[in-house]
Amino acid sequence: MSETANLPETRPDGPSAAAIEAILRGNHHDPFSILGRHDGQLRVFAPQAAEVCAIASGGSTKLTRIHPEGFFCGPAPSGDYRLKMTAGSHEWEVDDPYRFGPVLGEMDEYLIAEGSHRKLYDKLGAHPMTHEGVAGTSFAVWAPNARRVSVVGHFNAWDGRRHPMRKRLGPGIWELFIPGVGAGEIYKYEIISAHGQRMPLKADPIGFAHELPPETASVIDGLPQHDWHDSGWMAGRAARQDARAPISIYEVHLGSWRRGGGDEILSYDTIGDLLVPYVVEMGFTHVEFLPVSEHPFSGSWGYQPVGLFAPTSRFGDPESFARLVDRLHQAGIGVILDWVPAHFPSDAHGLAQFDGTALYEHADPRQGFHQDWNTLIYNFGRREVANFLQSSALYWIDRFHVDALRVDAVASMLYLDYSRKQGEWIPNEYGGNENLEAISFLRGVNERVQQDHPGAITIAEESTAFPKVSRPVDDGGLGFAFKWNMGWMHDTLGYFRRDPIHRRHHQHDLTFGLVYAFSENFVLPLSHDEVVHGKGSLIGQMAGDRWQKFANLRAYFGFMWTHPGKKLIFMGGEFAQEREWNHDRSLDWHLLDDPLHSGMQALVADLNRLYRDRPALHRLDCSPEGFEWIDASDAEQSVLVYMRKSDDGSAPCVVVCNLTPEPRYDYRIGVPVPGLWREVLNSDDARYGGSNLGNHGLVQADDEAWHGRDQSLRLTLPPLATIVLAPGEDA
């Protein structure tokens, strides 16, 4: 029998025996009603101490140990006080966490409960601060169905009885200011469910830093405080990300772009030393990072995050990630982050059954479980969950100056029956398969990004024909700025896999994309998804022998960079990485010693510059006025001819693709203007590893009508090549 059982039910000089027992067992739902100063009495639970004295300006008072497990009571000093504790020969002083008032204000409480707090990260999580004149850390976490929540860490020997938190009843937020605990300490939350179950220790959902995996604790770090030097970039960001701007994206996985000696993972800073000049040299306008949000399993590439507010510690601390973004901005490069609000992993230390209930996820597996990925689906209709996710999106843009969020797996969010058989999903209130709550959530996030951070954008990875993904919300759209064109990728990549002898039967794979090219604001993606899971590398998927594979990929890139839509290529594709991507290995940079590989790299750099410097190739990427077929009907010879145009009075570009290994001599095409035309790019150029066949220099248009135009050119079409022509001697 515990000694507490011998105490009277009520004590004239202290709390009841039941209340003390609850504190001792870590089960009390309201520790502030017991601990601290009450009616002239001071109560302290200190199981680590043999003696406790209260020290104030008027002197010290020794408290009485009324329970051998460490519950002390005594007269409360007036004013501020500290606690002097003794255990054997060891003596130390601390501030009492239970003498401090709340940190969260009533307006915070109201907005959190309403699900409308614009900057949830300013209030929840762990924030080092000075509170009521004392340095420490304020902790706050949402767990409305918990019986008790405590902060645990090395600072309290991971004893959940020592720092139970105060519950704010309205929003179900638990908070506690712990004096003397500061940046660098690791912590978790110990939660007891409403049914008395002690949950696995939980990382902070709004933790700003986490331990290096496989360790799983959160790290006290506070909000990033980087001294930014990118004002020039930020002032012009909106124009650089407009649908009329040249946008060419280099997709990067930070853990495998480059590695050091002994396969060492590089830091954010070291990556910046190498990546920034490389991206500038290659002419890309943006980098897109696969998710940097903290994730326990490296094999998920970041797409199963547990820390939606924390850059992964694999490469350094949050400040060093901010420095990387700043350096890219100063070099004129935009930063896109992959962001994952569709689902989360079921790791015990994460969000799953966070407070003993399906808090962040749907309880019904027909709504809350992803069969494809064995992950959990957020409950988008719960206002607090939507607020949590929206705050994550805004956090990266606000605190890290991220320019765009590429939202992952949007299709899985939009459809209740995504990858489900009949009977495995629940229809919406109208009997349909649209996830109305997810649609509302996405619209809300996109509107909030545009309102709070003008110039920042969102991009949807969406693989279906869902309407108006990249149209404004007030026009009935989802509000994204751009959408990945997965259909274009599938059709065109399939075409280039085919032996050229069969391509005459599949010309539509290249032309069909123009039927819907302007229904959305598209990004043309050759992403990481196309070089994993046994698909091989891009170069490996091209048809033909080694020379033809390289020629095909060069022609494909030429077609892609001159096709309407913004551009995205995964790292390694630019120099024809031959091995399938492996997230645990560096790219094979030694391949650049081979002229075919270095030639591919030179071509991509030149395509980026051509795309950027010629308004005809980018200003009307998302408008039908920017594209015109000259001839899409020569399927027999697998030749395409088209024109790109601008609206600023600049010259058009004419593009010719010959997608067989046979050169075409005296091939006539109609052109819109007379005079001299210059071949401004030829993917078969010797500098790129080609056969150097083509129209070197200038070509004179003659008056023979062709393709419905009054003038025409006679050209040499190189084998498996894309050429670009522009009018004018100095074009």
Side-chain angles (χ1 to χ4, degrees):
M1 180 181 293
S2 74
E3 184 161 320
T4 311
N6 295 322
L7 297 174
E9 270 307 303
T10 59
R11 294 171 53 90
D13 58 344
S16 70
I20 293 175
E21 181 72 19
I23 292 292
L24 296 176
R25 302 296 158 240
N27 289 325
H28 204 288
H29 69 284
D30 186 12
F32 275 85
S33 69
I34 304 299
L35 301 175
R37 189 161 30 200
H38 294 274
D39 299 324
Q41 186 181 76
L42 182 61
R43 307 161 186 171
V44 174
F45 177 54
Q48 74 277 28
E51 295 182 358
V52 176
C53 291
I55 305 171
S57 58
S60 65
T61 303
K62 183 177 180 181
L63 305 184
T64 301
R65 185 185 183 99
I66 66 170
H67 194 284
E69 291 191 38
F71 197 96
F72 297 83
C73 288
S78 60
D80 293 340
Y81 64 91
R82 302 195 82 210
L83 301 174
K84 183 172 74 173
M85 299 188 179
T86 304
S89 60
H90 182 47
E91 186 176 280
W92 69 100
E93 290 187 14
V94 297
D95 285 286
D96 183 2
Y98 298 95
R99 78 169 174 85
F100 293 90
V103 172
L104 295 178
E106 290 184 2
M107 183 55 69
D108 294 316
E109 186 173 351
Y110 173 80
L111 294 174
I112 292 171
E114 189 180 58
S116 61
H117 204 293
R118 301 286 273 273
K119 293 187 176 182
L120 205 60
Y121 47 87
D122 279 353
K123 300 302 177 181
L124 302 190
H127 294 267
M129 62 171 59
T130 297
H131 181 48
E132 298 179 10
V134 176
T137 297
S138 169
F139 299 87
V141 64
W142 180 55
N145 304 303
R147 177 183 297 178
R148 188 266 287 163
V149 181
S150 293
V151 185
V152 294
H154 290 317
F155 48 84
N156 61 16
W158 300 90
D159 184 348
R161 302 174 303 159
R162 287 171 55 181
H163 287 111
M165 306 173 80
R166 171 194 286 117
K167 186 175 185 180
R168 306 292 290 264
L169 294 178
I173 299 294
W174 298 78
E175 67 161 344
L176 183 67
F177 175 74
I178 303 182
V181 172
E185 293 269 13
I186 65 172
Y187 70 99
K188 283 187 175 181
Y189 295 113
E190 183 181 275
I191 298 174
I192 295 179
S193 74
H195 302 293
Q197 178 187 7
R198 194 178 304 272
M199 304 301 297
L201 295 183
K202 296 290 188 179
D204 195 335
I206 304 187
F208 305 119
H210 295 280
E211 283 188 294
L212 182 67
E215 303 304 321
T216 57
S218 301
V219 180
I220 298 172
D221 196 69
L223 292 171
Q225 301 296 329
H226 180 69
D227 182 17
W228 291 92
H229 297 87
D230 63 348
S231 57
W233 166 268
M234 297 295 282
R237 176 169 72 177
R240 292 172 184 257
Q241 304 196 134
D242 187 79
R244 299 163 70 84
I247 298 177
S248 179
I249 303 164
Y250 187 52
E251 189 186 30
V252 173
H253 176 257
L254 284 165
S256 59
W257 180 68
R258 280 187 187 267
R259 291 200 172 191
D263 212 30
E264 173 195 9
I265 292 178
L266 303 180
S267 68
Y268 290 118
D269 288 321
T270 303
I271 290 170
D273 292 340
L274 302 169
L275 180 65
V276 174
Y278 182 74
V279 173
V280 171
E281 179 186 1
M282 290 299 298
F284 290 101
T285 66
H286 289 69
V287 295
E288 178 175 327
F289 293 127
L290 271 61
V292 302
S293 302
E294 192 60 83
H295 50 284
F297 177 45
S298 294
S300 76
W301 316 326
Y303 290 102
Q304 294 193 14
V306 296
L308 284 183
F309 294 78
T312 178
S313 58
R314 290 168 174 81
F315 316 114
D317 60 18
E319 169 62 23
S320 59
F321 176 68
R323 285 195 297 271
L324 174 57
V325 175
D326 202 354
R327 293 173 68 181
L328 285 161
H329 281 176
Q330 292 178 60
I333 305 299
V335 178
I336 303 169
L337 284 191
D338 281 12
W339 181 61
V340 188
H343 61 127
F344 60 93
S346 58
D347 296 62
H349 71 285
L351 299 180
Q353 291 284 308
F354 188 77
D355 64 357
T357 67
L359 188 62
Y360 287 88
E361 68 271 34
H362 277 283
D364 191 322
R366 292 174 295 173
Q367 296 172 290
F369 182 72
H370 254 309
Q371 300 175 122
D372 291 353
W373 305 317
N374 292 320
T375 54
L376 302 174
I377 301 170
Y378 288 102
N379 184 350
F380 302 110
R382 185 163 189 167
R383 61 182 182 273
E384 300 96 336
V385 174
N387 196 184
F388 166 79
L389 291 169
Q390 184 181 95
S391 292
S392 169
L394 296 173
Y395 175 73
W396 295 101
I397 299 170
D398 176 24
R399 306 305 302 196
F400 290 103
H401 287 202
V402 165
D403 304 295
L405 297 174
R406 176 270 199 184
V407 183
D408 182 63
V410 171
S412 76
M413 301 171 68
L414 294 177
Y415 298 101
L416 295 165
D417 61 346
Y418 180 85
S419 196
R420 295 179 187 273
K421 299 174 183 176
Q422 188 66 33
E424 294 179 345
W425 59 282
I426 300 175
N428 64 33
E429 60 185 299
Y430 304 108
N433 67 341
E434 300 89 356
N435 189 333
L436 302 179
E437 295 171 342
I439 291 169
S440 177
F441 162 73
L442 289 169
R443 286 172 171 163
V445 169
N446 291 332
E447 284 191 306
R448 183 64 65 213
V449 167
Q450 294 159 20
Q451 292 168 9
D452 290 6
H453 300 281
I457 62 172
T458 54
I459 302 168
E461 187 224 7
E462 204 283 309
S463 55
T464 75
F466 193 91
K468 295 188 175 184
V469 171
S470 59
R471 297 294 180 257
V473 171
D474 59 13
D475 186 34
L478 291 184
F480 289 94
F482 295 99
K483 168 183 169 172
W484 276 22
N485 193 336
M486 312 294 282
W488 176 92
M489 175 278 299
H490 178 270
D491 291 346
T492 59
L493 192 53
Y495 179 92
F496 280 92
R497 291 187 184 115
R498 295 184 185 278
D499 188 305
I501 198 170
H502 302 302
R503 287 178 179 173
R504 65 182 182 273
H505 304 300
H506 299 277
Q507 186 108 324
H508 61 277
D509 285 343
L510 298 187
T511 61
F512 180 66
L514 273 303
V515 173
Y516 60 88
F518 310 107
S519 62
E520 301 277 3
N521 298 337
F522 280 122
V523 173
L524 309 181
L526 291 177
S527 75
H528 65 278
D529 280 330
E530 313 325 316
V531 293
V532 291
H533 302 320
K535 298 174 187 173
S537 63
L538 282 181
I539 190 69
Q541 295 179 60
M542 298 295 103
D545 58 24
R546 180 173 172 79
W547 189 92
Q548 289 185 359
K549 285 181 180 293
F550 277 84
N552 268 306
L553 187 55
R554 291 193 302 266
Y556 189 14
F557 285 162
F559 174 72
M560 173 179 175
W561 257 260
T562 57
H563 190 287
K566 308 310 177 185
K567 325 302 175 191
L568 179 143
I569 186 174
F570 185 56
M571 63 182 199
E574 80 278 13
F575 63 80
Q577 165 92 4
E578 295 197 36
R579 175 179 50 81
E580 182 174 281
W581 174 54
N582 182 338
H583 68 275
D584 281 330
R585 286 181 55 184
S586 172
L587 296 178
D588 296 329
W589 293 96
H590 64 275
L591 293 176
L592 289 170
D593 294 336
D594 182 330
L596 282 175
H597 291 280
S598 60
M600 189 73 70
Q601 185 188 53
L603 171 66
V604 171
D606 285 352
L607 283 169
N608 275 331
R609 293 182 179 91
L610 185 74
Y611 173 64
R612 180 191 63 212
D613 294 343
R614 295 198 172 263
L617 294 179
H618 65 254
R619 276 183 64 88
L620 298 178
D621 259 336
C622 304
S623 172
E625 290 75 25
F627 180 87
E628 184 177 339
W629 282 117
I630 292 176
D631 184 20
S633 63
D634 192 2
E636 189 61 33
Q637 298 187 88
S638 299
V639 174
L640 291 173
V641 188
Y642 52 91
M643 180 166 51
R644 296 298 310 279
K645 300 176 288 184
S646 183
D647 60 354
D648 65 348
S650 59
C653 289
V654 169
V655 183
V656 187
C657 302
N658 175 24
L659 302 176
T660 71
E662 297 296 324
R664 310 289 179 192
Y665 298 99
D666 293 324
Y667 192 93
R668 188 173 290 277
I669 67 167
V671 291
V673 295
L676 291 169
W677 284 70
R678 180 179 294 276
E679 187 177 76
V680 295
L681 185 131
N682 178 354
S683 70
D684 191 51
D685 194 291
R687 293 185 302 115
Y688 309 140
S691 64
N692 214 35
L693 194 65
N695 310 274
H696 306 290
L698 298 171
V699 183
Q700 176 69 50
D702 58 40
D703 291 332
E704 184 170 354
W706 208 260
H707 291 146
R709 290 162 176 81
D710 293 335
Q711 294 83 29
S712 59
L713 300 175
R714 286 193 310 164
L715 301 173
T716 295
L717 305 188
L720 293 172
T722 295
I723 63 173
V724 183
L725 304 114
E729 186 172 353
D730 300 322

